[in-house]
Amino acid sequence: MHKTLPLLEVTDFPPIAREPTQTLQVNLGYLCNQTCVHCHVNAGPTRTELMSADLLELIPQVLKARSISTLDLTGGAPEMNPGFRQLVKDARALNVHIIDRCNLTILLEPGYESLAEFLAEHKVEVTASLPCYSMDNVDRQRGKGVFDKSIDALKKLNALGYGIKDSDLILNLVYNPQGPSLPPPQGQLEEDYKRALKEHFNIEFNQLYALANMPIQRFGSMLISKNQFDPYMKLLKDNFSQDNLASVMCKTLISVDWQGFLYDCDFNQQLGLSLGGHRQHLKDLLVEDRIGKPICVADHCYGCTAGQGSSCGGAF
């Protein structure tokens, strides 16, 4: 796989600094039941990296010490970490809001049949990847049969109350473009998703997040192979919006890798760009926050600030 960091390190991206931490985003490991073309962590069924039990026990301590209000769980498929459920219970005991970045099909895998009910019981917000409402497009990006399984999983979540009007169970979907292009306007796309999923499958959800593909890892390597890396970077830079800088999630989010090391965002984590440019560990957050400290930036940061913006929470 082609390395992208050497193409991104020299940057003219404007400097930004940290604000009080509101979200701890934790990667529980790269093990996943899917292998997706756009995956920026190269997750898959053969990956063995998983966060240890000792580190999982440290997370609630950090949440409490820093008064962090949101725990954002990612992977791979974060639910495949054996300590996932206990972590959810421990965080909810602290009244922390939890987001599960779910690929949907994990809800149907053998051994995970009760997962959806567990998420509902603990009022975990589900942010689920569904890169299109078309079967052909989804299967092309995520694998044959993934679309049908995703629809079945969404129906299962709806049956539990997820995404239903006046329910407190939140179900958000995530869209990624098929290739090196910016996402269309999020508001209009959300309307299209809601109409199509309701008409064809009687599925409901709360919000759609339209995210640009990052020019790193698997997607970045594909761009290099097709001689599309430079044109894509030009597209991102040409569509940079200064206004989006105020809302990027890295200002209030700290990303944690499966070994407990800290980063300014999940994308920096995959590039090995440590928090503020200095290697730090989860245990360091027990004694200090990073308010006012500079955020480590590189050219891929244009992916979050191009056009309508597309940080982890979608358009700004």
Side-chain angles (χ1 to χ4, degrees):
M1 186 171 67
H2 300 287
K3 294 192 178 297
T4 54
L5 181 57
L7 303 175
L8 300 167
E9 284 182 297
V10 178
T11 185
D12 56 358
F13 193 83
I16 47 178
R18 290 204 149 272
E19 298 172 0
T21 304
Q22 299 173 11
T23 300
L24 192 69
Q25 187 175 72
V26 182
N27 191 308
L28 297 184
Y30 301 152
L31 179 64
C32 188
N33 61 315
Q34 293 183 178
T35 305
C36 301
V37 172
H38 67 280
C39 181
H40 66 274
V41 303
N42 296 329
T46 62
R47 299 298 295 265
T48 58
E49 301 92 334
L50 288 172
M51 181 171 280
S52 69
D54 288 345
L55 286 177
L56 291 172
E57 291 177 1
L58 187 57
I59 291 170
Q61 299 176 45
V62 170
L63 296 172
K64 186 175 182 179
R66 299 271 66 82
S67 299
I68 295 172
S69 57
T70 299
L71 176 62
D72 188 342
L73 300 177
T74 75
E79 308 90 348
M80 296 184 77
N81 186 302
F84 173 83
R85 297 196 187 201
Q86 188 59 52
L87 175 59
V88 168
K89 293 176 183 177
D90 293 342
R92 288 298 293 142
L94 298 172
N95 201 32
V96 169
H97 178 68
I98 301 174
I99 300 172
D100 177 27
R101 296 195 178 258
C102 180
N103 67 20
L104 291 176
T105 61
I106 189 66
L107 302 177
L108 306 177
E109 291 285 342
Y112 297 89
E113 294 90 349
S114 64
L115 178 58
E117 288 79 5
F118 172 84
L119 297 174
E121 177 186 355
H122 295 281
K123 300 190 183 304
V124 175
E125 176 182 326
V126 174
T127 296
S129 181
L130 188 70
C132 188
Y133 48 80
S134 159
M135 181 179 71
D136 290 343
N137 286 342
V138 172
D139 284 2
R140 187 181 309 120
Q141 190 176 109
R142 312 195 74 185
K144 186 174 178 59
V146 168
F147 181 79
D148 287 340
K149 291 180 180 178
S150 298
I151 293 299
D152 289 344
L154 287 170
K155 289 180 178 179
K156 187 172 187 177
L157 290 169
N158 273 179
L160 292 168
Y162 271 102
I164 305 301
K165 185 179 179 181
D166 298 326
S167 170
D168 59 356
L169 297 176
I170 304 300
L171 171 61
N172 298 320
L173 301 183
V174 177
Y175 163 88
N176 294 90
Q178 293 291 308
S181 60
L182 291 177
Q186 182 170 287
Q188 182 58 57
L189 187 61
E190 180 178 291
E191 291 181 12
D192 293 342
Y193 261 70
K194 287 189 172 182
R195 181 179 61 255
L197 291 177
K198 183 65 175 177
E199 287 180 359
H200 297 294
F201 307 105
N202 197 31
I203 286 172
E204 300 178 59
F205 66 95
N206 296 100
Q207 288 184 273
L208 178 75
Y209 298 151
L211 306 185
N213 291 320
M214 282 291 168
I216 64 175
Q217 298 289 56
R218 195 175 287 155
F219 183 74
S221 180
M222 181 273 291
L223 292 177
I224 294 171
S225 296
K226 295 184 176 182
N227 294 317
Q228 295 176 332
F229 189 90
D230 289 342
Y232 186 59
M233 284 307 310
K234 185 177 187 302
L235 175 69
L236 296 180
K237 291 185 176 185
D238 286 348
N239 286 275
F240 169 74
S241 172
Q242 183 77 26
D243 292 342
N244 290 336
L245 281 180
S247 303
V248 287
M249 283 189 69
C250 56
K251 287 187 172 183
T252 58
L253 175 149
I254 289 179
S255 173
V256 186
D257 73 11
W258 67 276
Q259 298 177 95
F261 293 107
L262 307 182
Y263 305 84
D264 290 294
C265 72
D266 193 38
F267 307 119
N268 280 11
Q269 179 185 141
Q270 301 311 314
L271 289 169
L273 298 173
S274 298
L275 185 73
H278 304 285
R279 196 154 176 81
Q280 295 178 72
H281 196 267
L282 186 61
K283 61 179 180 292
D284 296 324
L285 290 179
L286 292 173
V287 294
E288 68 168 344
D289 205 341
R290 295 281 301 174
I291 300 172
K293 300 294 178 64
I295 291 170
C296 187
V297 298
D299 259 10
H300 67 290
C301 297
Y302 284 103
C304 285
T305 51
Q308 64 187 343
S310 63
S311 195
C312 294
F316 305 136

